[in-house]
């Protein structure tokens, strides 16, 4: 049997980027031989194994053919007569379809090196269409390598556009969509991912209702630039996503929580992401207007922000509000965030233990707490001279 390094590791090495994960292809072997050599089988549908010592992935060279609709409808053919070239031909992009032998020779039958040099993401063959997830992958690679100057080839854009017109993306499960989306959000240029999906008219098929706002260029462009802004400040995908969606809704100037709650409730979106997204849409307007709020409304905002119990989420939300506001209002500062932090700290100064011994009911203590907190906030607001 022969073993080759393939896929992302070969690509990243040629790009001079750190290699994150090494995948191997095994030619001329069989499931039985791999098991006898001590490899552990992991793929149920595909002949994929883990190396007994390194834990790296070794896959038997295979060809695939789509059986019908649905992501898992593949007919997999793996046998000792499948060549390395056959295996490379079934792959998504030419830059991902190169291999390196153990003696260091590069095997590149699909001109991946040429596309690498030209900074082009190009599909390997017509078999690209057999897996609609590749549309999201291609947009994600464009986002990941945008800084290196990569773009998607015109032919590949056309091919993907045809796939979208025949509604291929609807075959992908929500879990896989969010897995790809979160990976794309974590790249250096997440806005590129959404721009490409927009150019392909794929937003509605992937994210549903958000398309209604996204297709409006005067909402989309500022939202994408806010996304770029936040990407330079945090690498957290959910914070980045909340900025994108929050900006779209901010632009609209009308709170349409129903639509967002639908988006936020898609299966596969992690619950921490959902929470951040919902709070962004619910609270951003109050945060932007914080200097105009009365003490009651300010207290209600602070309680929803819940800095005491959720300090990290609180700071994430302030970052989200601040990026959205600065980016959309072209402002340099967001003094609202400092004010909210100050007010949050002040209301925490009230210590309910002072009333616990009085024997009052819990509602009575809650009412006293609220009165004391409102009073503190009013004092703060008077000192500041507002509203
Ligand atoms: N691949 C493919 N089609 C897919 C998924 C994967 O053709 N839908 C192939 C590509 O050749 C890819 C390889 O399998 O390079 C490994 O996939 P994966 O680990 O997901 O991607 P990498 O290219 O290794 O990128 P990353 O650095 O993100 O892991």
């Amino acid at each position: 049997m022969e073993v080759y390094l393939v896929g992302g590791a070969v690509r990243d090495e040629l790009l001079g980027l750190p290699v994150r994960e090494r995948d191997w292809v095994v030619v001329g072997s069989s499931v039985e031989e791999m098991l006898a050599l001590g490899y552990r089988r992991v793929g149920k549908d595909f002949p994929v194994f883990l190396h007994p010592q390194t834990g790296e992935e070794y896959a038997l060279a295979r060809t695939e053919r789509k059986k019908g609709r649905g992501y898992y409808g593949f007919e997999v053919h793996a046998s000792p007569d499948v060549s390395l070239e056959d295996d490379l031909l079934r792959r998504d992009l030419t830059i991902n379809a190169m291999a390196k032998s153990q003696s260091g020779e590069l095997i590149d039958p699909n001109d991946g090196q040429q596309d690498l040099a030209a900074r082009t993401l190009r599909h390997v063959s017509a078999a690209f269409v057999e897996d609609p997830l590749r549309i999201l992958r291609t947009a994600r690679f464009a986002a990941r390598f945008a800084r290196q100057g990569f773009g998607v080839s015109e032919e590949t854009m056309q091919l993907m556009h045809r796939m979208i017109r025949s509604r291929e993306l609807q075959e992908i499960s929500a879990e896989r969509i969010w897995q790809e989306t979160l990976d794309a959000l974590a790249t250096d240029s997440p806005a590129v991912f959404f721009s490409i999906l927009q150019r392909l008219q794929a937003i509605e098929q992937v994210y549903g209702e958000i398309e209604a706002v996204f297709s409006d260029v005067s909402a989309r462009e500022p939202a994408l630039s806010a996304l770029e802004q936040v990407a330079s400040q945090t690498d957290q995908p959910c914070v980045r996503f909340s900025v994108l969606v929050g900006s779209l809704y901010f632009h609209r100037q009308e709170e349409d929580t129903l639509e967002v709650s639908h988006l936020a409730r898609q299966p596969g979106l992690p619950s921490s992401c959902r929470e951040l997204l919902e709070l962004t849409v619910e609270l951003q307007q109050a945060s932007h207007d914080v200097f105009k709020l009365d003490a009651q409304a300010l207290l209600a905002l602070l309680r929803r922000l819940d800095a005491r119990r959720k300090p990290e989420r609180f700071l994430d939300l302030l970052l989200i509000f601040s990026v959205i506001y600065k980016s959309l209002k072209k402002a340099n500062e967001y003094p609202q965030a400092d004010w909210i932090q100050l007010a949050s700290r002040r209301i925490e100064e009230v210590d309910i233990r002072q009333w616990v011994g009085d024997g009052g009911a819990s509602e009575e203590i809650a009412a006293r707490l609220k009165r004391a907190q409102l009073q503190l906030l009013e004092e703060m607001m008077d000192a500041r001279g507002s509203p």
Side-chain angles (χ1 to χ4, degrees), residues 7-8 11 20 23 91-92 96 131 134 137 140 144:
R11 176 198 66 218
R20 300 200 289 199
D23 294 319
R91 291 172 184 266
D92 54 1
N96 290 342
D131 179 3
R134 289 172 168 174
R137 283 175 59 87
R140 170 164 69 78
R144 175 152 151 206

Side-chain angles (χ1 to χ4, degrees), residues 333-353:
E333 305 290 333
Y334 191 65
Q336 291 93 324
D338 294 337
W339 181 246
I340 290 171
Q341 276 187 294
L342 196 65
S344 264
R345 281 198 295 270
R346 282 310 286 280
I347 62 168
E348 290 316 321
E349 286 167 13
V350 184
D351 187 352
I352 58 166
R353 280 175 303 186

Side-chain angles (χ1 to χ4, degrees), residues 248-366:
L248 291 170
Y249 284 83
F250 179 83
H251 176 88
R252 244 193 171 185
Q253 293 293 342
E254 66 186 41
E255 202 179 300
D256 213 339
T257 42
L258 240 187
E259 287 185 29
V260 165
S261 61
H262 185 259
L263 177 76
R265 279 176 201 289
Q266 291 199 5
L269 185 67
S271 61
S272 56
C273 259
R274 182 173 72 212
E275 199 177 84
L276 212 55
L277 192 58
E278 288 180 334
L279 288 171
T280 297
V281 174
E282 179 192 332
L283 303 177
Q284 68 165 323
Q285 199 59 52
S287 170
H288 302 329
D289 292 341
V290 72
F291 297 122
K292 294 187 224 150
L293 301 182
D294 62 19
Q296 290 273 359
L298 178 55
L299 184 59
L301 171 66
L302 297 174
R303 287 185 167 187
R304 286 294 284 143
L305 287 169
D306 203 4
R308 189 171 59 87
R309 271 180 300 184
K310 302 275 172 84
E312 280 170 28
R313 191 187 71 184
F314 173 70
L315 293 178
D316 285 344
L317 284 165
L318 290 184
L319 174 64
I320 292 167
F321 300 152
S322 140
V323 173
I324 294 176
Y325 188 89
K326 287 199 280 190
S327 180
L328 273 65
K329 291 276 191 194
K330 308 237 176 301
N332 292 323
E333 305 290 333
Y334 191 65
Q336 291 93 324
D338 294 337
W339 181 246
I340 290 171
Q341 276 187 294
L342 196 65
S344 264
R345 281 198 295 270
R346 282 310 286 280
I347 62 168
E348 290 316 321
E349 286 167 13
V350 184
D351 187 352
I352 58 166
R353 280 175 303 186
Q354 61 185 307
W355 303 305
V356 171
D358 296 356
S362 59
E363 304 89 76
E364 173 58 23
I365 293 178

Side-chain angles (χ1 to χ4, degrees), residues 117-274:
R119 302 301 199 227
T120 302
L121 301 172
R122 186 193 312 281
H123 61 282
V124 172
S125 78
F128 183 93
V129 303
E130 300 204 338
D131 179 3
L133 189 72
R134 289 172 168 174
I135 299 173
L136 300 182
R137 283 175 59 87
T138 303
R140 170 164 69 78
F141 281 117
R144 175 152 151 206
F145 295 131
R147 282 215 194 141
Q148 281 80 14
F150 275 84
V152 184
S153 85
E154 206 36 58
E155 303 92 86
T156 303
M157 284 300 278
Q158 283 168 13
L159 182 69
M160 293 195 291
H161 196 207
R162 283 201 293 280
M163 292 166 74
I164 285 153
R165 277 208 305 267
S166 53
R167 305 199 76 74
E168 300 271 336
L169 279 174
Q170 286 179 333
E171 288 181 21
I172 307 176
S173 71
E175 283 76 9
R176 296 200 74 103
I177 286 183
W178 285 107
Q179 196 183 317
E180 281 297 324
T181 304
L182 294 173
D183 283 353
L185 281 161
T187 63
D188 280 348
S189 311
V192 169
F193 175 78
F194 295 98
S195 296
I196 288 182
L197 294 184
Q198 162 65 22
R199 273 167 56 206
L200 293 168
Q201 296 170 315
I203 298 289
E204 191 254 331
Q205 272 179 63
V206 189
Y207 304 109
E209 292 85 345
I210 200 178
E211 198 267 342
V213 197
F214 207 81
S215 57
D216 171 0
V217 65
S218 62
R220 181 175 70 245
E221 291 305 327
L224 289 177
S225 93
L227 175 59
E228 271 169 22
Q229 288 292 321
V230 73
S232 66
Q233 295 180 54
T234 175
D235 51 15
Q236 285 187 66
C238 298
V239 173
R240 292 174 169 196
F241 191 59
S242 298
V243 165
L244 175 72
V245 178
S247 301
L248 291 170
Y249 284 83
F250 179 83
H251 176 88
R252 244 193 171 185
Q253 293 293 342
E254 66 186 41
E255 202 179 300
D256 213 339
T257 42
L258 240 187
E259 287 185 29
V260 165
S261 61
H262 185 259
L263 177 76
R265 279 176 201 289
Q266 291 199 5
L269 185 67
S271 61
S272 56
C273 259
R274 182 173 72 212

Side-chain angles (χ1 to χ4, degrees), residues 40-72:
R40 276 188 295 123
R41 177 147 191 181
V42 282
K44 187 162 61 73
D45 305 305
F46 302 115
V48 180
F49 303 82
L50 296 185
H51 189 283
Q53 274 89 44
T54 65
E56 290 179 342
E57 263 188 33
Y58 285 68
L60 293 182
R62 66 179 190 259
T63 56
E64 291 168 1
R65 209 154 43 88
K66 198 162 178 180
K67 278 192 294 202
R69 286 182 85 81
Y71 186 70
Y72 293 103

